[in-house]
Amino acid sequence: MEYRKIIEPFEMVNEWIEGKNLGKLKKIKEKCKMKSKILTQLDILKDNECKAEWFHYLYTGKIIGIDEMFGFFEKNKLCGIIVEFEDGRKAIYKSCGAYNEFPEGEVLSSLLDHTMGSQNFVAPSVTREISVDEIRKILEDTQGSVNIFDYRFTILDQLKNTCAFKNKTMFIGSMIGWWDGLKKNPTFHKYAKTDEIKEKILELKYGTSEYIDRVTEGVTKNHAFYYLLQFFSSVGHNEFSVYHNQKLINIAIDLDRANFFDNERNVNGLSVCIICKISKRYFETLQNFNQRNNLGQIIQSVSYQYPFFNLKLPNIFANNINERVFDLCQCFEQCISEYGKQNVLLY
């Protein structure tokens, strides 16, 4: 994707935050609201104007309700707060990092996917400050008074005492777009840790049915993305689908364990390099960034340039991303050399 197209939605968001072109924002908001009635969230994600409006709303939208709150022992939703906006939309806010799960991983994963053309359908995510008092007031307003039996007040105090900034008055976390209608999807292991797992992956490699190719395309695309994020959770974890045009489409969620700073690299045993199948468009995207050797630098620049990301990344981040892109290109080029493009690239 051209740099101009990458930053286009972020330039719009920046203008709206500064109070400029608000008439355009109003028109886009109306357009996207109409679209959402007849189209899916994936269509919204593919529209740069609607994507910009989604980013902007996550950063500025008024929160009127707190649904569920998760503390430090809730598997898969660690420290998450499900918030409700005044227009009916939802998001999940992650204020704390623990057990290798950090809010900025969601923001960077969202930006990485956007830069690569939104092929893994990661929901928009921004860095947002929310005061402890604001959350407490919302809870009190919806309860009528402080309810000592409401576990959410206890969790709020835990989060405050653990990770609130500015004299424990303010959270600085990631506000993550909410997907409706998530479904678990068919998948396989991300990494072949044993010979038995490798054999199961090889069964798919030699499958020829259209169903196997369709499932394989979505899964390998996501597994390649997880290699860029450098985490390999248990089979099926982080892997969901949403309906789009009467088909289940793979998306990537719950990405706060992304590890962009560990320079350990090993594609041996990576499922996508065993099965040797990948979306043609995804492979071409990887090739393009590999030739330019600049994917990491683009994300590094954009994440610091715009206040709704608010991340200053060291050079090791950019270098690691570029090296992982190189690894994947080497992997798929070896597959093509061995089996031919027609048997590797999925159209």
Side-chain angles (χ1 to χ4, degrees), residues 1-14:
M1 188 189 295
E2 296 178 6
Y3 187 74
R4 179 183 58 81
K5 293 293 289 182
I6 292 170
I7 66 170
E8 182 180 58
F10 307 142
E11 288 289 287
M12 285 189 275
V13 175
N14 222 31

Side-chain angles (χ1 to χ4, degrees), residues 79-325:
C79 304
I81 303 173
I82 299 177
V83 303
E84 300 170 349
F85 294 109
E86 64 179 345
D87 73 345
R89 281 184 274 186
K90 288 185 176 182
I92 184 163
Y93 184 70
K94 292 191 177 181
S95 60
C96 281
Y99 311 117
N100 296 320
E101 297 187 13
F102 298 98
E104 56 268 30
E106 298 278 3
V107 178
L108 289 172
S109 298
S110 169
L111 181 51
L112 174 61
D113 180 53
H114 167 75
T115 305
M116 296 181 68
S118 297
Q119 298 183 66
N120 295 103
F121 304 114
V122 178
S125 179
V126 298
T127 300
R128 178 166 172 174
E129 293 189 10
I130 301 178
S131 73
V132 176
D133 285 346
E134 179 182 354
I135 296 176
R136 190 179 302 278
K137 186 176 187 307
I138 293 169
L139 291 175
E140 291 173 354
D141 287 347
T142 54
Q143 281 285 349
S145 62
V146 176
N147 186 337
I148 61 172
F149 299 107
D150 190 336
Y151 69 94
R152 295 176 298 176
F153 288 100
T154 302
I155 289 177
L156 178 59
D157 287 335
Q158 288 177 347
L159 298 178
K160 170 189 171 182
N161 292 329
T162 305
C163 57
F165 292 86
K166 300 179 181 178
N167 295 320
K168 298 194 180 298
T169 63
M170 189 72 67
F171 293 123
I172 304 176
S174 58
M175 187 69 79
I176 309 151
W178 183 266
W179 287 110
D180 295 318
L182 288 176
K183 307 285 185 183
K184 291 294 290 183
N185 57 275
T187 187
F188 44 84
H189 289 81
K190 301 176 182 72
Y191 209 86
K193 296 180 180 179
T194 67
D195 290 339
E196 183 181 0
I197 293 174
K198 186 174 181 179
E199 286 301 316
K200 290 181 178 179
I201 294 172
L202 286 171
E203 289 176 10
L204 279 175
K205 179 176 183 175
Y206 298 111
T208 56
S209 74
E210 180 182 343
Y211 170 78
I212 287 177
D213 278 355
R214 182 180 64 77
V215 170
T216 301
E217 177 185 4
V219 175
T220 54
K221 191 168 59 175
N222 275 12
H223 287 192
F225 186 66
Y226 295 139
Y227 181 76
L228 296 178
L229 305 186
Q230 200 62 202
F231 79 87
F232 307 102
S233 54
S234 57
V235 61
H237 188 70
N238 309 95
E239 300 185 73
F240 289 84
S241 302
V242 292
Y243 274 105
H244 177 69
N245 295 336
Q246 299 181 324
K247 294 181 180 179
L248 280 172
I249 304 296
N250 295 64
I251 64 172
I253 67 168
D254 193 14
L255 306 174
D256 52 8
R257 280 180 292 167
N259 183 353
F260 294 104
F261 302 101
D262 187 347
N263 59 9
E264 182 178 346
R265 299 152 55 203
N266 184 11
V267 292
N268 295 326
L270 192 64
S271 63
V272 293
C273 298
I274 296 173
I275 200 169
C276 277
K277 290 183 185 291
I278 191 68
S279 152
K280 178 177 181 290
R281 181 189 167 202
Y282 205 82
F283 175 60
E284 290 173 347
T285 300
L286 289 169
Q287 277 189 314
N288 182 43
F289 282 115
N290 188 47
Q291 290 166 2
R292 298 181 182 183
N293 196 39
N294 68 347
L295 178 58
Q297 282 76 13
I298 290 173
I299 297 170
Q300 186 182 33
S301 171
V302 172
S303 65
Y304 181 62
Q305 183 177 351
Y306 297 99
F308 43 91
F309 293 128
N310 192 29
L311 295 169
K312 187 174 183 179
L313 303 169
N315 290 335
I316 189 174
F317 164 86
N319 294 336
N320 283 346
I321 289 291
N322 294 341
E323 288 170 354
R324 293 170 195 176
V325 169

Side-chain angles (χ1 to χ4, degrees), residues 42-106:
L42 295 190
D43 291 306
I44 299 299
L45 200 60
K46 292 176 182 178
D47 184 311
N48 251 7
E49 288 186 334
C50 291
K51 181 187 283 188
E53 191 277 333
W54 197 353
F55 270 108
H56 178 260
Y57 200 73
L58 290 171
Y59 189 67
T60 64
K62 182 180 180 181
I63 300 169
I64 62 167
I66 303 293
D67 190 345
E68 293 187 74
M69 293 180 67
F70 306 96
F72 291 94
F73 303 102
E74 181 68 30
K75 186 179 179 183
N76 304 338
K77 296 185 179 73
L78 191 69
C79 304
I81 303 173
I82 299 177
V83 303
E84 300 170 349
F85 294 109
E86 64 179 345
D87 73 345
R89 281 184 274 186
K90 288 185 176 182
I92 184 163
Y93 184 70
K94 292 191 177 181
S95 60
C96 281
Y99 311 117
N100 296 320
E101 297 187 13
F102 298 98
E104 56 268 30
E106 298 278 3

